[in-house]
């Protein structure tokens, strides 16, 4: 997905857009240019079970890199759903969720650029700094200060917004588990794993915050009777 997006970017129109088409001189009328065709969403290049990294490598689709990319894609989708539920309730943190989805695209770009085969130009284009990690920590601290103390194990609940954020947190944990081996193997930036680790904490705190703001009850774990 990330490599395709980069490739598609090469074919976009320039700043002139439609005005950039050439006009025939002398006749006083424009050429009848053929209508521009949108690129097809399918490429058939993955039909044999292989896909490409940003560095141009062809790897099996079951490669750990694509497992991590898939989990990150799922995470962004889950956050998008949580954002829609939260927007319906008027939560102001939806802008943060949108920014996180954009950051996850950068996470994917880094993952799609295995360091073992990346040239310096690749690394500069897809590097991932610690700044987004620190921003998440600031958000976590801000919401945590407004929440009641945590005295029991909370089950995913607290209304649709909160439950969807809890689901996103669980997907985030899985994405992190996929990314950590890549970092340990030297294929991805350590800040990517840090970001996902901090993001799951953010989503947990935000789920509690959403339940509190909506006046919804958080269900807690009660040990069943033997």
């Amino acid at each position: 997905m990330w490599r395709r997006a980069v490739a598609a970017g090469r074919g976009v129109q320039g700043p002139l857009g439609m005005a950039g088409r050439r006009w025939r001189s002398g006749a006083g009328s424009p050429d009848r240019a053929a209508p521009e065709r949108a690129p097809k969403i399918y490429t058939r290049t993955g039909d044999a079970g292989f896909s490409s990294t940003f560095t141009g490598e062809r790897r099996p689709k079951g490669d750990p890199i694509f497992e991590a990319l898939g989990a990150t894609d799922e995470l962004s989708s889950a956050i998008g759903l949580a954002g829609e539920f939260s927007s319906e309730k008027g939560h102001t943190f939806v802008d943060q969720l949108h920014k996180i989805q954009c950051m996850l695209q950068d996470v994917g770009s880094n993952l799609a650029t295995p360091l073992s085969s990346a040239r310096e130009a690749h690394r500069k284009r897809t590097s991932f700094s610690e700044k987004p990690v620190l921003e998440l920590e600031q958000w976590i601290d801000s919401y945590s200060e407004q929440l009641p103390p945590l005295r029991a194990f909370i089950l995913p609940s607290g209304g649709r917004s909160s439950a969807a954020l809890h689901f996103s947190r669980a997907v985030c944990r899985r994405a992190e588990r996929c990314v950590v081996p890549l970092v340990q193997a030297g294929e991805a930036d350590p800040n990517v794993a840090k970001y996902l680790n901090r993001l799951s904490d953010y989503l947990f705190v935000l789920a509690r915050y959403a339940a509190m703001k909506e006046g919804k009850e958080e269900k807690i774990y009660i040990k069943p009777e033997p």
Side-chain angles (χ1 to χ4, degrees):
M1 182 182 72
W2 280 266
R3 180 174 171 81
R4 187 177 299 171
V6 172
R10 295 180 186 143
V12 298
Q13 293 183 353
L16 295 179
M18 295 293 292
R21 291 180 177 174
R22 293 183 179 178
W23 296 75
R24 179 183 298 175
S25 60
S29 62
D31 286 337
R32 291 185 175 274
E36 295 182 12
R37 295 180 180 179
K40 291 183 178 180
I41 192 65
Y42 59 88
T43 62
R44 299 194 178 104
T45 58
D47 290 352
F50 289 80
S51 192
S52 298
T53 66
F54 181 49
T55 58
E57 288 183 89
R58 296 290 291 174
R59 296 195 181 199
K61 290 191 175 183
D63 189 275
I65 286 178
F66 297 123
E67 289 288 347
L69 284 171
T72 304
D73 190 20
E74 288 181 54
L75 173 57
S76 181
S77 298
I79 290 175
L81 180 62
E84 291 300 315
F85 288 153
S86 300
S87 180
E88 291 173 0
K89 292 296 184 178
H91 289 297
T92 57
F93 57 71
V94 292
D95 289 339
Q96 292 179 354
L97 294 179
H98 178 254
K99 185 173 184 178
I100 287 169
Q101 286 183 289
C102 293
M103 291 307 308
L104 289 175
Q105 289 295 119
D106 292 342
V107 166
S109 295
N110 186 271
L111 295 175
T113 311
L115 298 180
S116 61
S117 60
R119 299 191 300 272
E120 185 62 25
H122 290 136
R123 297 188 183 205
K124 287 183 178 180
R125 189 168 180 179
T126 62
S127 62
F128 196 89
S129 73
E130 192 180 19
K131 183 178 178 180
V133 180
L134 300 177
E135 183 175 50
L136 282 178
E137 291 178 352
Q138 292 176 351
W139 292 348
I140 292 169
D141 293 340
S142 176
Y143 291 121
S144 295
E145 292 172 357
Q146 304 176 58
L147 293 172
L150 188 61
R151 304 186 187 281
F153 187 89
I154 294 175
L155 302 176
S157 57
R160 292 204 303 175
S161 301
S162 178
L165 288 165
H166 276 296
F167 178 73
S168 299
R169 171 188 55 79
V171 177
C172 186
R173 286 294 192 192
R174 177 157 55 83
E176 181 188 4
R177 292 194 297 271
C178 291
V179 166
V180 166
L182 297 178
V183 172
Q184 293 174 338
E187 292 283 51
D189 194 307
N191 285 323
V192 169
K194 289 181 183 179
Y195 184 78
L196 293 174
N197 182 272
R198 225 58 99 247
L199 179 55
S200 62
D201 293 333
Y202 166 84
L203 292 169
F204 175 76
V205 170
L206 196 63
R208 297 198 64 212
Y209 178 81
M212 181 189 72
K213 296 295 285 186
E214 294 178 21
K216 301 289 187 179
E217 180 183 1
E218 293 180 296
K219 296 179 181 178
I220 64 171
Y221 167 75
I222 301 175
K223 187 173 180 62
E225 294 291 337

